[in-house]
Amino acid sequence: MKARFLMMLVIVGALLSLVSGAVVAQDETVTGDLEVFSWWTSGGEAAALDALFAAMNASYPNVNIVNATVAGGGGSAARPVLQTRLAGGDPPDSWQVHPGWELFGQYVEPGYVAPVNDIYESEGWNDVVPEQLREMMSRDGNIYLVLAGVHRGNGFWYNKKVLDEQGITLGEALSVDEFFAIADQLQAADITPLCVGDSGIWATAQLLENTLLGVLGPEGYRGLWDGSVSFNSDEVKAAIAVYGRMLDYQNSDHSALSWDQAVDALMEGRCVFNSMGDWAYGEFVAAGKEDNVDFGWVSHPGSEGSFMVVADGFPMAAGAPNPAAAAGWLKAIGSVEAQEAFNPLKGSICARTDCNRESFGPYHNWAMDSFGSGELVATVVHGTAAPADFQQAMNDAVTLFVVDRDVDALAAALAEAAVSAGFASE
Ligand code: GAL
């Protein structure tokens, strides 16, 4: 089994060199174990993670990778396990982190990670990693993360065959009203319009986040995080009402399904649309589905023109058990070869501007255009826009809302959480 896995890594490594047209430089002097901690366990996530491991192995053949994962989309189960290890002085060499509040609040401030400025310099990344991304990972002149890819959080995926059968064709964008008209048409044909898998509550919080963006627009959405738009305002309540109305169209077994099982339900035609970041794309790829044939996508209703940034990065642990292997890992995953192998499987786009667009299919090219020309906004559900306490309060309030649909109560709970987290005054 192990031999087969190693053989696969060698083949993937060779393919990587072929695709990139370059032979990846090898460093045989780095040895020992490298522990990488993440929550990438779904079909698409695990396949993509293997591509990063293959890139690592191609450059550092004498390092033994220890794949430490804690299942559960969005990392809600993984982060507490990690915190316990970090607090106990038992860090993995590197682990999955989102930029922004999550990086600074949970890892930089407690001193769990070390700056990686030297790696950015030696690898020339200050010239190829977009500045907006570098800013989200930097403080006081130090940069703390290496990104493997950048997800677009505000995707609205659909089963194309089911829509075709119903004579429904979507244009470039979908408005909130258009969505409800289609949802009514589907429901009249006895088809469940919306696929949700919120056994991990973050997945329905993502639906709310995307709806806030779609209804408020990028400027209004940003205002939520700098305190200039109140969660108690009429606009926010209108957005929450739209979210509640969308829930009326969801599958009845939503709370029994994980996010990826909801994508499976979409593929099987048990329901039609799914509001999800483009890690959903990784599930389509893992299932052998084809862009624009089996599935299609638009922006979450009303959010066209915006790109909800959900970036995946890895830091260097302060006191990493194997610092040489950890540095090698960061160099490997930030390379163009690794990013061209990983991102087609993961659904994200490269975190650098020099990836070859031809290595990517229709969805990725669309997402790259969206990143290049769209309004970039930060995700709260995946830790970037607000502190962890707010994220937790939002998950708790959404858990109640899914059952009671009380718009005023959700608005009030979010407003209160924003005040206690310190980014709003009312
Ligand atoms: C996000 C992460 C993605 C994807 C998703 C679902 O937090 O950034 O890469 O894994 O969770 O698990």
Side-chain angles (χ1 to χ4, degrees):
M1 187 66 198
K2 196 167 173 209
R4 259 174 59 198
F5 180 66
L6 284 176
M7 178 62 85
M8 204 185 77
L9 288 180
V10 171
I11 293 170
V12 174
L15 284 175
L16 270 175
S17 332
L18 277 179
V19 169
S20 68
V23 177
V24 182
Q26 281 201 345
D27 184 343
E28 295 182 356
T29 63
V30 184
T31 58
D33 286 349
L34 167 80
E35 188 184 6
V36 176
F37 181 101
S38 79
W39 59 86
W40 283 340
T41 57
S42 76
E45 290 174 333
L49 181 58
D50 274 349
L52 291 183
F53 290 161
M56 176 68 195
N57 260 282
S59 296
Y60 301 91
N62 295 329
V63 171
N64 172 47
I65 299 170
V66 178
N67 181 15
T69 53
V70 174
S76 40
R79 274 186 299 272
V81 172
L82 181 61
Q83 280 298 332
T84 306
R85 288 190 54 177
L86 294 174
D90 172 32
D93 292 292
S94 192
W95 59 87
Q96 194 183 344
V97 182
H98 298 119
W101 276 98
E102 184 178 308
L103 169 64
F104 297 113
Q106 295 176 47
Y107 307 114
V108 174
E109 282 161 22
Y112 294 146
V113 293
V116 288
N117 301 27
D118 52 338
I119 297 183
Y120 272 74
E121 275 151 33
S122 70
E123 305 306 293
W125 290 343
N126 291 315
D127 299 327
V128 290
V129 178
E131 197 183 346
Q132 301 101 307
L133 296 178
R134 280 184 284 125
E135 270 172 16
M136 297 164 81
M137 310 182 270
S138 301
R139 191 176 267 185
D140 301 330
N142 283 326
I143 189 157
Y144 290 94
L145 273 189
V146 175
L147 297 180
V150 183
H151 280 295
R152 186 177 189 274
N154 53 316
F156 207 55
W157 308 89
Y158 55 88
N159 183 312
K160 186 152 184 330
K161 292 192 166 147
V162 173
L163 286 190
D164 287 348
E165 277 158 24
Q166 297 302 312
I168 298 168
T169 311
L170 299 189
E172 277 291 292
L174 184 67
S175 70
V176 169
D177 289 344
E178 283 166 342
F179 169 70
F180 285 127
I182 292 172
D184 285 335
Q185 186 183 337
L186 292 171
Q187 215 165 40
D190 245 352
I191 299 168
T192 302
L194 194 62
C195 310
V196 176
D198 60 358
S199 63
I201 199 68
W202 67 273
T204 192
Q206 174 104 43
L207 180 59
L208 169 61
E209 162 170 302
N210 286 340
T211 306
L212 287 167
L213 175 63
V215 175
L216 300 176
E219 225 171 290
Y221 175 82
R222 283 192 196 108
L224 296 172
W225 317 117
D226 66 18
S228 61
V229 173
S230 163
F231 281 99
N232 270 322
S233 63
D234 290 344
E235 307 101 272
V236 171
K237 287 184 183 172
I240 294 175
V242 169
Y243 166 55
R245 225 179 124 194
M246 289 185 87
L247 296 185
D248 292 340
Y249 294 94
Q250 71 184 343
N251 44 316
S252 54
D253 60 349
H254 62 91
S255 61
L257 303 185
S258 57
W259 72 270
D260 48 315
Q261 288 172 330
V263 179
D264 289 344
L266 182 157
M267 291 193 259
E268 288 161 18
R270 288 187 273 135
C271 44
V272 181
F273 290 95
N274 178 234
S275 183
M276 190 45 63
D278 50 19
W279 42 92
Y281 183 90
E283 301 307 305
F284 294 125
V285 173
K289 304 290 181 192
E290 212 181 311
D291 298 32
N292 289 324
V293 176
D294 303 298
F295 68 95
W297 62 88
V298 280
S299 295
H300 180 90
S303 73
E304 68 279 358
S306 292
F307 187 114
M308 180 77 77
V309 176
V310 186
D312 285 312
F314 288 83
M316 158 75 77
N322 190 346
W329 163 249
L330 298 180
K331 286 180 191 166
I333 67 172
S335 71
V336 75
E337 292 83 7
Q339 300 214 353
E340 285 177 356
F342 168 79
N343 287 299
L345 302 176
K346 189 66 170 70
S348 36
I349 58 173
C350 290
R352 44 191 296 158
T353 49
D354 56 349
C355 280
N356 180 359
R357 287 183 77 116
E358 283 163 23
S359 317
F360 296 89
Y363 172 70
H364 279 84
N365 275 276
W366 181 90
M368 284 183 233
D369 288 341
S370 169
F371 183 86
S373 64
E375 293 279 346
L376 304 184
V377 292
T379 171
V380 60
V381 170
H382 302 279
T384 300
D389 288 354
F390 181 88
Q391 204 181 333
Q392 184 58 51
M394 178 164 163
N395 283 340
D396 294 346
V398 164
T399 303
L400 294 177
F401 182 82
V402 169
V403 177
D404 69 16
R405 306 286 166 86
D406 185 336
V407 172
D408 289 337
L410 177 53
L414 294 175
E416 198 187 311
V419 173
S420 15
F423 61 86
S425 55
E426 51 157 348

